[in-house]
Amino acid sequence: MAIDYLKRILTSRVYDVARETELEVAPLLSARTGCRILLKREDNQPVFSFKLRGAYNKMARLGPAELRRGVIAASAGNHAQGVALSAARLGCRAVIVMPVTTPRVKIDAVRAFGGEGVEIVLHGDSYSDAKAHADSIARKRRLVFVHPFDDPDVIAGQGTIGMEILHQHPGPIDAIFAAIGGGGLISGIAAYVKAVRPDIRIIGVQARDSDAMARSLAAGRRVRLKDVGLFCDGTAVKQVGVETFRLCREHVDEIVCVDTDAVCAAIKDVFEDTRSILEPAGALAVAGLKAWTASHRCKGTTLVAVACGANMNFDRLRFVAERAEVGEAREAVFAVTIPEERGSFRRFCAALAHHSITEFNYRIGDSESAHLFVGMQITDRGDSARIAQALRREGFATLDLGDDELAKQHLRHMIGGRSARAGHELLYRFEFPERPGALMRFLSAMSPNWNISLFHYRNEGADFGRILVGIQVPATEMKAFRGFLATLGYPHSDESANPAYRLFLR
């Protein structure tokens, strides 16, 4: 039997707990893309996610006997918070099953929203694992299961987002972008928008390592993934719903898949426009919108991205900041091999004279060649190829690491160790004002008679840059070296006796 989603959405009981969120212009992102970008701020809901809408709409329609039995939900975190708050508001008990990988901020929030009436169970590595365990508990304890996406009432609750968008912006809208995990959010939005404004394109966005809906639509049937990525934990679903798959086949025009770096860049973009920090899944729509505008070279269009969640673990920000520059094509990273001979390092620096260095890692190795890990600021993706070509013209073997996950995630932090060729090494820390060209001025001030045996620098966005340098200075040059330190004008510290240095690098 056909479900009248337009009627269900119009009569949804979401506003007892949820609020109509803002639809606001993202001025910086609009200027960069050449389109008018509007953000639907579902991160401003009481639980910092859209999930409250569907959860409450489902639970508010339960009968008194069902509420007395209690409810159970499986969730990666945001739906759990919606169920917990709804249970507290409706006066029923709730069991919440979450994957063990759920960020602590979401677990704590579920406990806070639900109070003493909520029981938290951690099980499995993904939503699908948690769902199977929740089904078992529901059968044993006769609890009512509140599905996070594959339920008409849940879908209708999420569909109120589409209703609000069209109410808030009655003018032309070319496309609406929404994240897809199990498909409840985009199904609800699409069901309403296509009924009222069928000319608006509905575009889903998925993480490349959790693309169950994209694969299912391509195959014409629901596909079950063996594994899913965990960075965008809110959309880490192995298999989409029966009803959400049907609605997406009928109403979704296109799906865009993006990688982790693109998501990190989108988190930074939203922060720069709003000073708010989205969680990875919450930024998927923005990442997909950016990829879509770049591939379609569209200008002057009006596009809406649903910022669907902001339950971010604070500890993740280190990773996000590290990867955002690469994802935005603002940083290129390379492995460069130069001859281990006098003058080659200066020649390498000269080749990069017009580029701002973001990272520089080196440790002296064998007598033939030196291997450097270098990051540089760029203006677009084409810059990476041009820089690599320029370095190769100088005779330096160069490997572009922009797409190398191992190098970006791990190896950049592991360059170093002890070296038999690092005898008579002095270790110094330097600080200098972080201005364009400051690092190159520092390098050019050093005498070519002093061999650099270790070098570490990373631009961390602070006012002062920090460098760690290992220098092999001949005894006959020590007076000149001390003169160099005195005239340099940068604060410095001799770390040659540092116990950690002696343990790991000496």
Side-chain angles (χ1 to χ4, degrees):
M1 187 177 82
I3 299 173
D4 186 352
Y5 274 102
L6 187 60
K7 180 179 179 180
R8 282 176 178 261
I9 292 167
L10 290 170
T11 58
S12 286
R13 294 180 58 184
V14 303
Y15 299 108
D16 293 350
V17 291
R19 57 183 291 265
E20 180 174 316
T21 56
E22 301 79 4
L23 183 67
E24 57 188 37
V25 176
L28 298 178
L29 196 54
S30 297
R32 285 177 50 210
T33 60
C35 303
R36 187 163 190 247
I37 308 301
L38 304 173
L39 300 179
K40 180 59 172 166
R41 298 294 305 280
E42 285 299 291
D43 57 304
N44 284 339
Q45 288 291 0
V47 298
F48 308 104
S49 154
F50 73 96
K51 287 284 193 177
L52 178 62
R53 296 174 183 262
Y56 188 82
N57 189 49
K58 169 66 176 179
M59 293 171 63
R61 293 177 181 278
L62 296 177
E66 291 175 306
L67 287 175
R68 281 195 297 272
R69 281 162 50 194
V71 300
I72 186 169
S75 169
N78 287 340
H79 177 62
Q81 293 175 65
V83 171
L85 180 59
S86 300
R89 191 65 62 91
L90 294 168
C92 73
R93 62 192 180 96
V95 178
I96 309 294
V97 184
M98 293 185 282
V100 297
T101 53
T102 302
R104 174 56 55 182
V105 66
K106 296 184 180 181
I107 297 172
D108 293 342
V110 169
R111 188 170 286 110
F113 286 127
E116 295 182 1
V118 66
E119 175 187 342
I120 297 174
V121 178
L122 300 180
H123 180 87
D125 293 327
S126 68
Y127 161 75
S128 300
D129 299 331
K131 166 68 164 58
H133 191 59
D135 287 340
S136 175
I137 295 174
R139 286 191 297 269
K140 292 176 182 176
R141 298 168 60 174
R142 298 186 66 251
L143 301 173
V144 178
F145 187 77
V146 181
H147 204 287
F149 51 83
D150 203 25
D151 181 289
D153 288 327
V154 172
I155 293 169
Q158 323 303 23
T160 57
I161 297 172
M163 180 179 67
E164 289 176 14
I165 290 171
L166 300 192
H167 168 73
Q168 292 168 317
H169 189 83
I173 296 175
D174 295 279
I176 297 173
F177 293 78
I180 300 179
L185 172 64
I186 198 167
S187 294
I189 292 173
Y192 185 87
V193 172
K194 288 298 186 180
V196 179
R197 297 269 300 276
D199 57 300
I200 297 176
R201 291 182 66 80
I202 303 297
I203 301 176
V205 187
Q206 292 200 284
R208 283 186 183 152
D209 54 11
S210 301
D211 59 346
M213 184 65 81
R215 296 194 192 194
S216 298
L217 292 177
R221 59 179 176 80
R222 290 195 306 148
V223 173
R224 183 177 180 83
L225 303 181
K226 183 178 179 182
D227 297 295
V228 289
L230 299 178
F231 181 63
C232 295
D233 56 281
T235 54
V237 175
K238 291 182 179 179
Q239 187 174 42
V240 302
V242 174
E243 180 66 0
T244 57
F245 175 64
R246 183 187 73 80
L247 288 169
C248 285
R249 289 188 74 179
E250 185 175 347
H251 297 308
V252 173
D253 297 288
E254 186 178 348
I255 292 184
V256 178
C257 292
V258 294
D259 62 17
T260 294
D261 291 346
V263 174
C264 292
I267 292 171
K268 181 177 180 181
D269 288 321
V270 174
F271 173 78
E272 290 179 341
D273 260 322
T274 68
R275 296 303 183 267
S276 297
I277 299 176
L278 299 181
E279 65 183 278
L284 269 174
V286 177
L289 180 153
K290 289 171 59 186
W292 190 84
T293 56
S295 63
H296 287 71
R297 300 181 183 277
C298 57
K299 301 293 179 182
T301 56
T302 298
L303 308 172
V304 176
V306 181
C308 62
N311 288 295
M312 167 71 92
N313 253 19
F314 184 79
D315 291 344
R316 276 190 176 182
L317 295 177
R318 289 175 292 190
F319 177 85
V320 171
E322 185 82 37
R323 300 294 287 271
E325 296 298 294
V326 177
E328 190 47 58
R330 295 175 185 169
E331 182 186 42
V333 287
F334 303 95
V336 183
T337 301
I338 68 175
E340 192 65 88
E341 60 188 28
R342 183 167 295 179
S344 64
F345 189 68
R346 184 177 290 272
R347 190 158 53 90
F348 168 77
C349 293
L352 302 179
H354 301 296
H355 299 281
S356 293
I357 304 297
T358 57
E359 183 167 4
F360 201 122
N361 289 318
Y362 162 69
R363 182 58 163 151
I364 190 171
D366 59 46
S367 59
E368 300 297 324
S369 58
H371 304 293
L372 315 176
F373 184 99
V374 187
M376 280 169 268
Q377 281 188 355
I378 57 176
T379 56
D380 59 60
R381 297 191 184 278
D383 270 357
S384 293
R386 289 188 286 271
I387 292 171
Q389 188 176 21
L391 289 170
R392 291 174 187 135
R393 280 198 302 266
E394 291 294 325
F396 303 133
T398 303
L399 181 64
D400 189 338
L401 300 175
D403 295 321
D404 191 316
E405 189 67 23
L406 177 66
K408 292 185 294 184
Q409 178 65 18
H410 297 290
L411 296 185
R412 72 194 306 168
H413 304 295
M414 301 174 69
I415 296 169
R418 296 183 177 89
S419 174
R421 302 191 64 240
H424 307 290
E425 182 178 66
L426 302 175
L427 190 73
Y428 274 80
R429 281 192 299 118
F430 294 90
E431 291 185 357
F432 60 91
E434 191 68 271
R435 302 190 187 101
L439 177 61
M440 286 305 175
R441 285 195 294 273
F442 172 84
L443 293 170
S444 62
M446 297 186 67
S447 169
N449 294 329
W450 308 333
N451 187 50
I452 294 178
S453 52
L454 178 149
F455 201 98
H456 178 262
Y457 162 75
R458 174 65 180 166
N459 185 319
E460 296 176 328
D463 294 333
F464 285 86
R466 294 172 175 82
I467 300 175
L468 183 68
V469 187
I471 313 170
Q472 293 174 297
V473 182
T476 56
E477 294 281 335
M478 284 303 298
K479 183 177 180 180
F481 179 69
R482 294 190 186 97
F484 160 75
L485 294 177
T487 59
L488 183 63
Y490 295 161
H492 57 273
S493 302
D494 184 352
E495 297 287 355
S496 303
N498 184 290
Y501 161 64
R502 290 183 173 274
L503 185 62
F504 292 108
L505 296 172
R506 189 63 182 254

